[in-house]
Amino acid sequence: MTPAIKLLQNSKIAYKVHQYEHDPRCKTFGPEAVEALGQTADKVFKTLLFSLNSEQESLAVAVIAVEQKLNLKQAAKAAKVKKAAMADPASTQKVTGYVVGGISPLGQKKALPTFIDLSQLSSTNVPPVKSARSCGASSIPKPRLPALIRIVL
């Protein structure tokens, strides 16, 4: 059980786990999850970490659809800093406690500023967000979204 799932359980937020077999040769984790889950790339979210003002020890989290690329200028603006850059993978693993390709915005070792793209939330459930390389994605009923955001932020 991942720290993200433990957090959802402890917060009494309903969720659904979607599991699939991760191919260890695969390096494109988001598209792999999309295909394995039978979803479209706009319905599965990925968690990305970026550095604030290019300092690897100062990180923030972005949750966006797998089909999207993180706009670092917009990320910097949202975080109210001058510059954002993608975080070093080794730093992300150390700070979050998750392996690259399976980082969840929930249950990280260190609480980080978190920014979620809410534009895709038109259905009754929050789209799946990867919480492990082969496990996945948790769908949370949309009415519980405010509770989830309080936990994440």
Side-chain angles (χ1 to χ4, degrees):
M1 181 179 331
T2 69
I5 292 172
K6 285 181 187 176
L7 179 61
L8 291 169
Q9 286 178 342
N10 292 341
S11 301
K12 298 183 180 10
I13 295 176
Y15 64 92
K16 180 179 179 183
V17 174
H18 307 269
Q19 290 189 278
Y20 60 93
E21 192 66 36
H22 167 64
D23 180 350
R25 297 169 297 179
C26 185
K27 301 299 180 209
T28 55
F29 305 112
E32 178 190 34
V34 166
E35 184 178 329
L37 296 171
Q39 298 283 330
T40 59
D42 64 328
K43 299 292 183 222
V44 177
F45 278 25
K46 60 186 174 183
T47 304
L48 302 173
L49 272 72
F50 60 97
S51 64
L52 306 173
N53 292 322
S54 300
E55 297 175 19
Q56 286 300 317
E57 54 280 340
S58 182
L59 301 176
V61 177
V63 181
I64 61 174
V66 165
E67 71 177 358
Q68 296 176 322
K69 184 174 179 181
L70 181 61
N71 182 319
L72 292 169
K73 286 184 181 183
Q74 287 180 350
K77 185 176 179 180
K80 298 180 180 168
V81 296
K82 290 184 179 185
K83 187 176 179 183
M86 293 305 297
D88 173 63
S91 296
T92 64
Q93 290 187 182
K94 183 178 176 183
V95 170
T96 65
Y98 288 100
V99 296
V100 171
I103 296 174
S104 171
L106 303 174
Q108 296 180 1
K109 287 178 13 178
K110 180 179 178 183
L112 299 172
T114 301
F115 304 91
I116 304 171
D117 177 7
L118 299 177
S119 66
Q120 304 289 338
L121 300 181
S122 60
S123 65
T124 58
N125 285 330
V126 173
V129 177
K130 291 186 49 63
S131 63
R133 278 190 186 163
S134 62
C135 155
S138 301
S139 294
I140 298 122
K142 194 171 181 181
R144 293 305 309 262
L145 183 60
L148 174 64
I149 290 173
R150 281 194 300 276
I151 292 168
V152 173
L153 300 177

Short mmCIF file of all heavy atoms in Angstrom, two decimals, residues 72-124:
data_model
loop_
_atom_site.label_atom_id
_atom_site.label_comp_id
_atom_site.label_asym_id
_atom_site.label_seq_id
_atom_site.Cartn_x
_atom_site.Cartn_y
_atom_site.Cartn_z
N LEU A 72 6.78 25.79 -17.91
CA LEU A 72 7.57 26.24 -16.77
C LEU A 72 7.37 27.71 -16.45
O LEU A 72 7.47 28.11 -15.29
CB LEU A 72 9.04 25.90 -17.00
CG LEU A 72 9.34 24.40 -16.99
CD1 LEU A 72 10.75 24.12 -17.49
CD2 LEU A 72 9.15 23.82 -15.59
N LYS A 73 7.06 28.50 -17.45
CA LYS A 73 6.78 29.92 -17.18
C LYS A 73 5.49 30.05 -16.37
O LYS A 73 5.42 30.83 -15.42
CB LYS A 73 6.67 30.71 -18.49
CG LYS A 73 8.01 30.95 -19.15
CD LYS A 73 7.88 31.81 -20.39
CE LYS A 73 9.25 32.00 -21.02
NZ LYS A 73 9.20 32.87 -22.18
N GLN A 74 4.47 29.28 -16.74
CA GLN A 74 3.22 29.30 -15.98
C GLN A 74 3.41 28.72 -14.58
O GLN A 74 2.82 29.18 -13.62
CB GLN A 74 2.12 28.55 -16.73
CG GLN A 74 1.62 29.29 -17.94
CD GLN A 74 0.51 28.52 -18.66
OE1 GLN A 74 0.24 27.35 -18.37
NE2 GLN A 74 -0.12 29.18 -19.60
N ALA A 75 4.25 27.69 -14.48
CA ALA A 75 4.52 27.09 -13.18
C ALA A 75 5.20 28.11 -12.26
O ALA A 75 4.84 28.23 -11.09
CB ALA A 75 5.39 25.84 -13.34
N ALA A 76 6.17 28.85 -12.80
CA ALA A 76 6.85 29.88 -12.01
C ALA A 76 5.86 30.95 -11.57
O ALA A 76 5.87 31.39 -10.42
CB ALA A 76 7.99 30.50 -12.81
N LYS A 77 4.99 31.36 -12.48
CA LYS A 77 4.00 32.38 -12.15
C LYS A 77 3.06 31.89 -11.05
O LYS A 77 2.77 32.61 -10.10
CB LYS A 77 3.20 32.75 -13.41
CG LYS A 77 2.23 33.88 -13.21
CD LYS A 77 1.54 34.25 -14.52
CE LYS A 77 0.55 35.36 -14.28
NZ LYS A 77 -0.14 35.75 -15.52
N ALA A 78 2.61 30.65 -11.16
CA ALA A 78 1.71 30.09 -10.15
C ALA A 78 2.40 30.01 -8.80
O ALA A 78 1.78 30.24 -7.75
CB ALA A 78 1.23 28.70 -10.58
N ALA A 79 3.69 29.67 -8.81
CA ALA A 79 4.46 29.54 -7.57
C ALA A 79 4.98 30.89 -7.07
O ALA A 79 5.61 30.95 -6.01
CB ALA A 79 5.62 28.58 -7.77
N LYS A 80 4.75 31.94 -7.86
CA LYS A 80 5.19 33.31 -7.50
C LYS A 80 6.70 33.39 -7.32
O LYS A 80 7.21 33.95 -6.35
CB LYS A 80 4.45 33.80 -6.26
CG LYS A 80 2.95 33.90 -6.49
CD LYS A 80 2.22 34.39 -5.28
CE LYS A 80 0.74 34.43 -5.64
NZ LYS A 80 -0.12 34.61 -4.51
N VAL A 81 7.40 32.78 -8.30
CA VAL A 81 8.86 32.88 -8.34
C VAL A 81 9.26 33.35 -9.74
O VAL A 81 8.45 33.35 -10.67
CB VAL A 81 9.55 31.53 -8.01
CG1 VAL A 81 9.25 31.11 -6.58
CG2 VAL A 81 9.15 30.43 -8.99
N LYS A 82 10.52 33.73 -9.89
CA LYS A 82 10.98 34.24 -11.18
C LYS A 82 11.19 33.15 -12.22
O LYS A 82 10.97 33.35 -13.40
CB LYS A 82 12.29 35.02 -11.01
CG LYS A 82 12.11 36.34 -10.29
CD LYS A 82 13.40 37.10 -10.22
CE LYS A 82 13.17 38.43 -9.51
NZ LYS A 82 14.36 39.26 -9.52
N LYS A 83 11.63 31.97 -11.76
CA LYS A 83 12.00 30.92 -12.70
C LYS A 83 11.68 29.54 -12.15
O LYS A 83 11.80 29.30 -10.95
CB LYS A 83 13.51 31.03 -12.98
CG LYS A 83 14.02 30.13 -14.06
CD LYS A 83 15.50 30.38 -14.31
CE LYS A 83 16.00 29.44 -15.39
NZ LYS A 83 17.43 29.60 -15.61
N ALA A 84 11.26 28.66 -13.02
CA ALA A 84 11.03 27.25 -12.67
C ALA A 84 11.78 26.37 -13.66
O ALA A 84 11.92 26.73 -14.83
CB ALA A 84 9.55 26.93 -12.70
N ALA A 85 12.28 25.26 -13.17
CA ALA A 85 12.96 24.28 -14.02
C ALA A 85 12.56 22.89 -13.53
O ALA A 85 12.21 22.72 -12.36
CB ALA A 85 14.48 24.46 -13.93
N MET A 86 12.61 21.93 -14.42
CA MET A 86 12.28 20.57 -14.01
C MET A 86 13.28 20.11 -12.95
O MET A 86 14.47 20.40 -13.04
CB MET A 86 12.30 19.61 -15.20
CG MET A 86 11.20 19.88 -16.21
SD MET A 86 9.52 19.89 -15.50
CE MET A 86 9.37 18.22 -14.93
N ALA A 87 12.78 19.44 -11.94
CA ALA A 87 13.62 18.97 -10.84
C ALA A 87 14.46 17.78 -11.27
O ALA A 87 14.07 16.99 -12.14
CB ALA A 87 12.76 18.60 -9.65
N ASP A 88 15.58 17.63 -10.64
CA ASP A 88 16.47 16.50 -10.86
C ASP A 88 15.78 15.23 -10.35
O ASP A 88 15.25 15.22 -9.24
CB ASP A 88 17.77 16.74 -10.09
CG ASP A 88 18.68 15.54 -10.12
OD1 ASP A 88 19.12 15.16 -11.22
OD2 ASP A 88 18.94 14.98 -9.03
N PRO A 89 15.75 14.16 -11.16
CA PRO A 89 15.06 12.92 -10.73
C PRO A 89 15.54 12.38 -9.39
O PRO A 89 14.74 11.92 -8.58
CB PRO A 89 15.35 11.94 -11.87
CG PRO A 89 15.56 12.81 -13.06
CD PRO A 89 16.24 14.05 -12.54
N ALA A 90 16.84 12.46 -9.12
CA ALA A 90 17.35 11.96 -7.83
C ALA A 90 16.78 12.79 -6.68
O ALA A 90 16.42 12.24 -5.63
CB ALA A 90 18.87 11.99 -7.82
N SER A 91 16.67 14.09 -6.88
CA SER A 91 16.09 14.96 -5.85
C SER A 91 14.63 14.63 -5.61
O SER A 91 14.17 14.63 -4.47
CB SER A 91 16.20 16.43 -6.25
OG SER A 91 17.54 16.83 -6.35
N THR A 92 13.91 14.35 -6.69
CA THR A 92 12.48 14.07 -6.54
C THR A 92 12.25 12.81 -5.73
O THR A 92 11.36 12.77 -4.89
CB THR A 92 11.77 13.95 -7.90
OG1 THR A 92 12.28 12.84 -8.62
CG2 THR A 92 11.94 15.21 -8.74
N GLN A 93 13.05 11.80 -5.97
CA GLN A 93 12.91 10.55 -5.21
C GLN A 93 13.24 10.77 -3.75
O GLN A 93 12.54 10.28 -2.86
CB GLN A 93 13.78 9.45 -5.82
CG GLN A 93 13.27 8.99 -7.16
CD GLN A 93 13.99 7.80 -7.73
OE1 GLN A 93 13.66 7.41 -8.80
NE2 GLN A 93 14.95 7.21 -7.07
N LYS A 94 14.27 11.52 -3.49
CA LYS A 94 14.71 11.77 -2.10
C LYS A 94 13.65 12.57 -1.34
O LYS A 94 13.31 12.26 -0.21
CB LYS A 94 16.03 12.52 -2.12
CG LYS A 94 16.62 12.77 -0.76
CD LYS A 94 17.96 13.48 -0.89
CE LYS A 94 18.52 13.84 0.46
NZ LYS A 94 19.77 14.60 0.35
N VAL A 95 13.10 13.59 -1.97
CA VAL A 95 12.15 14.48 -1.30
C VAL A 95 10.77 13.85 -1.14
O VAL A 95 10.12 14.02 -0.13
CB VAL A 95 12.04 15.82 -2.07
CG1 VAL A 95 10.90 16.67 -1.56
CG2 VAL A 95 13.34 16.59 -1.96
N THR A 96 10.33 13.09 -2.16
CA THR A 96 8.97 12.55 -2.13
C THR A 96 8.87 11.18 -1.48
O THR A 96 7.83 10.82 -0.93
CB THR A 96 8.37 12.43 -3.54
OG1 THR A 96 9.12 11.46 -4.29
CG2 THR A 96 8.36 13.77 -4.26
N GLY A 97 9.93 10.38 -1.59
CA GLY A 97 9.86 9.01 -1.10
C GLY A 97 9.29 8.05 -2.13
O GLY A 97 9.13 6.87 -1.87
N TYR A 98 9.00 8.56 -3.32
CA TYR A 98 8.49 7.74 -4.42
C TYR A 98 9.56 7.62 -5.50
O TYR A 98 10.40 8.50 -5.64
CB TYR A 98 7.26 8.39 -5.06
CG TYR A 98 6.00 8.37 -4.23
CD1 TYR A 98 5.61 9.50 -3.50
CD2 TYR A 98 5.18 7.25 -4.20
CE1 TYR A 98 4.44 9.50 -2.76
CE2 TYR A 98 4.00 7.25 -3.46
CZ TYR A 98 3.64 8.38 -2.75
OH TYR A 98 2.47 8.37 -2.02
N VAL A 99 9.46 6.54 -6.30
CA VAL A 99 10.39 6.39 -7.42
C VAL A 99 9.85 7.16 -8.63
O VAL A 99 8.63 7.32 -8.79
CB VAL A 99 10.60 4.90 -7.81
CG1 VAL A 99 11.27 4.14 -6.68
CG2 VAL A 99 9.31 4.23 -8.22
N VAL A 100 10.76 7.64 -9.46
CA VAL A 100 10.37 8.35 -10.67
C VAL A 100 9.48 7.43 -11.51
O VAL A 100 9.78 6.26 -11.68
CB VAL A 100 11.61 8.80 -11.47
CG1 VAL A 100 11.22 9.34 -12.84
CG2 VAL A 100 12.39 9.85 -10.68
N GLY A 101 8.39 7.98 -12.00
CA GLY A 101 7.43 7.20 -12.76
C GLY A 101 6.26 6.76 -11.90
O GLY A 101 5.26 6.28 -12.41
N GLY A 102 6.38 6.95 -10.61
CA GLY A 102 5.31 6.56 -9.70
C GLY A 102 5.10 7.57 -8.58
O GLY A 102 4.66 7.22 -7.50
N ILE A 103 5.45 8.81 -8.83
CA ILE A 103 5.31 9.84 -7.81
C ILE A 103 3.86 10.29 -7.70
O ILE A 103 3.23 10.64 -8.70
CB ILE A 103 6.23 11.05 -8.10
CG1 ILE A 103 7.69 10.60 -8.04
CG2 ILE A 103 5.97 12.19 -7.12
CD1 ILE A 103 8.69 11.66 -8.46
N SER A 104 3.36 10.28 -6.50
CA SER A 104 2.00 10.74 -6.23
C SER A 104 2.07 12.13 -5.62
O SER A 104 3.03 12.44 -4.90
CB SER A 104 1.31 9.79 -5.25
OG SER A 104 0.08 10.33 -4.83
N PRO A 105 1.05 12.95 -5.85
CA PRO A 105 1.02 14.24 -5.16
C PRO A 105 0.63 14.08 -3.69
O PRO A 105 0.77 15.01 -2.91
CB PRO A 105 -0.05 15.02 -5.93
CG PRO A 105 -0.94 13.98 -6.50
CD PRO A 105 -0.06 12.80 -6.79
N LEU A 106 0.19 12.90 -3.33
CA LEU A 106 -0.25 12.64 -1.95
C LEU A 106 0.77 11.76 -1.22
O LEU A 106 1.39 10.89 -1.82
CB LEU A 106 -1.60 11.91 -1.96
CG LEU A 106 -2.75 12.59 -2.66
CD1 LEU A 106 -3.96 11.67 -2.71
CD2 LEU A 106 -3.08 13.89 -2.00
N GLY A 107 0.90 11.98 0.07
CA GLY A 107 1.71 11.10 0.89
C GLY A 107 3.20 11.24 0.69
O GLY A 107 3.95 10.31 0.99
N GLN A 108 3.65 12.38 0.21
CA GLN A 108 5.08 12.58 0.02
C GLN A 108 5.76 12.78 1.37
O GLN A 108 5.14 13.22 2.34
CB GLN A 108 5.33 13.78 -0.89
CG GLN A 108 4.80 13.57 -2.28
CD GLN A 108 5.04 14.76 -3.18
OE1 GLN A 108 5.63 15.76 -2.81
NE2 GLN A 108 4.57 14.65 -4.42
N LYS A 109 7.06 12.47 1.44
CA LYS A 109 7.81 12.61 2.69
C LYS A 109 7.84 14.06 3.17
O LYS A 109 7.83 14.32 4.37
CB LYS A 109 9.24 12.10 2.51
CG LYS A 109 9.33 10.61 2.43
CD LYS A 109 10.70 10.00 2.19
CE LYS A 109 11.92 10.80 2.32
NZ LYS A 109 13.16 10.05 2.10
N LYS A 110 7.90 14.99 2.25
CA LYS A 110 7.97 16.41 2.58
C LYS A 110 6.80 17.13 1.91
O LYS A 110 6.56 16.94 0.73
CB LYS A 110 9.30 16.99 2.09
CG LYS A 110 9.49 18.45 2.39
CD LYS A 110 10.84 18.94 1.89
CE LYS A 110 10.98 20.42 2.15
NZ LYS A 110 12.24 20.93 1.60
N ALA A 111 6.09 17.94 2.67
CA ALA A 111 4.98 18.70 2.10
C ALA A 111 5.54 19.77 1.17
O ALA A 111 6.40 20.56 1.56
CB ALA A 111 4.15 19.34 3.20
N LEU A 112 5.09 19.77 -0.07
CA LEU A 112 5.56 20.72 -1.08
C LEU A 112 4.38 21.53 -1.60
O LEU A 112 3.25 21.04 -1.64
CB LEU A 112 6.21 19.98 -2.25
CG LEU A 112 7.42 19.12 -1.93
CD1 LEU A 112 7.82 18.30 -3.15
CD2 LEU A 112 8.59 19.98 -1.47
N PRO A 113 4.64 22.77 -2.05
CA PRO A 113 3.57 23.52 -2.71
C PRO A 113 3.08 22.69 -3.90
O PRO A 113 3.89 22.15 -4.66
CB PRO A 113 4.25 24.80 -3.18
CG PRO A 113 5.53 24.88 -2.41
CD PRO A 113 5.91 23.48 -2.04
N THR A 114 1.78 22.56 -4.05
CA THR A 114 1.21 21.70 -5.09
C THR A 114 0.23 22.48 -5.93
O THR A 114 -0.64 23.16 -5.41
CB THR A 114 0.52 20.48 -4.45
OG1 THR A 114 1.49 19.77 -3.67
CG2 THR A 114 -0.07 19.55 -5.49
N PHE A 115 0.37 22.35 -7.25
CA PHE A 115 -0.48 23.05 -8.20
C PHE A 115 -1.15 22.02 -9.10
O PHE A 115 -0.48 21.18 -9.69
CB PHE A 115 0.36 24.03 -9.03
CG PHE A 115 1.10 25.00 -8.15
CD1 PHE A 115 2.39 24.72 -7.70
CD2 PHE A 115 0.49 26.18 -7.73
CE1 PHE A 115 3.05 25.60 -6.85
CE2 PHE A 115 1.15 27.05 -6.89
CZ PHE A 115 2.43 26.77 -6.45
N ILE A 116 -2.48 22.05 -9.14
CA ILE A 116 -3.26 21.06 -9.87
C ILE A 116 -4.00 21.74 -11.01
O ILE A 116 -4.68 22.74 -10.81
CB ILE A 116 -4.28 20.37 -8.94
CG1 ILE A 116 -3.56 19.75 -7.74
CG2 ILE A 116 -5.07 19.31 -9.69
CD1 ILE A 116 -4.49 19.24 -6.65
N ASP A 117 -3.88 21.18 -12.22
CA ASP A 117 -4.63 21.68 -13.36
C ASP A 117 -6.06 21.15 -13.24
O ASP A 117 -6.31 19.97 -13.43
CB ASP A 117 -3.99 21.21 -14.66
CG ASP A 117 -4.78 21.63 -15.89
OD1 ASP A 117 -5.75 22.40 -15.76
OD2 ASP A 117 -4.43 21.19 -17.00
N LEU A 118 -6.98 22.03 -12.89
CA LEU A 118 -8.37 21.62 -12.68
C LEU A 118 -9.21 21.68 -13.97
O LEU A 118 -10.38 21.35 -13.94
CB LEU A 118 -9.01 22.51 -11.62
CG LEU A 118 -8.35 22.46 -10.24
CD1 LEU A 118 -9.03 23.43 -9.28
CD2 LEU A 118 -8.39 21.06 -9.67
N SER A 119 -8.60 22.04 -15.09
CA SER A 119 -9.36 22.21 -16.32
C SER A 119 -9.96 20.92 -16.86
O SER A 119 -10.93 20.95 -17.61
CB SER A 119 -8.49 22.86 -17.40
OG SER A 119 -7.44 21.99 -17.78
N GLN A 120 -9.41 19.78 -16.49
CA GLN A 120 -9.89 18.49 -17.00
C GLN A 120 -10.99 17.89 -16.13
O GLN A 120 -11.47 16.80 -16.41
CB GLN A 120 -8.73 17.50 -17.09
CG GLN A 120 -7.57 17.96 -17.92
CD GLN A 120 -7.87 17.98 -19.41
OE1 GLN A 120 -8.76 17.30 -19.88
NE2 GLN A 120 -7.14 18.77 -20.15
N LEU A 121 -11.38 18.56 -15.07
CA LEU A 121 -12.31 17.96 -14.11
C LEU A 121 -13.77 18.23 -14.46
O LEU A 121 -14.48 18.91 -13.76
CB LEU A 121 -12.02 18.48 -12.70
CG LEU A 121 -10.63 18.19 -12.19
CD1 LEU A 121 -10.45 18.73 -10.78
CD2 LEU A 121 -10.33 16.71 -12.21
N SER A 122 -14.22 17.63 -15.55
CA SER A 122 -15.61 17.82 -15.95
C SER A 122 -16.47 16.61 -15.61
O SER A 122 -17.68 16.68 -15.63
CB SER A 122 -15.69 18.10 -17.45
OG SER A 122 -15.14 17.01 -18.17
N SER A 123 -15.85 15.50 -15.28
CA SER A 123 -16.62 14.30 -14.96
C SER A 123 -16.92 14.25 -13.47
O SER A 123 -16.60 15.15 -12.73
CB SER A 123 -15.82 13.06 -15.38
OG SER A 123 -14.65 12.96 -14.61
N THR A 124 -17.52 13.16 -13.03
CA THR A 124 -17.88 13.03 -11.62
C THR A 124 -16.70 12.57 -10.77
O THR A 124 -16.77 12.65 -9.56
CB THR A 124 -19.03 12.02 -11.45
OG1 THR A 124 -18.62 10.77 -12.00
CG2 THR A 124 -20.29 12.51 -12.13
#
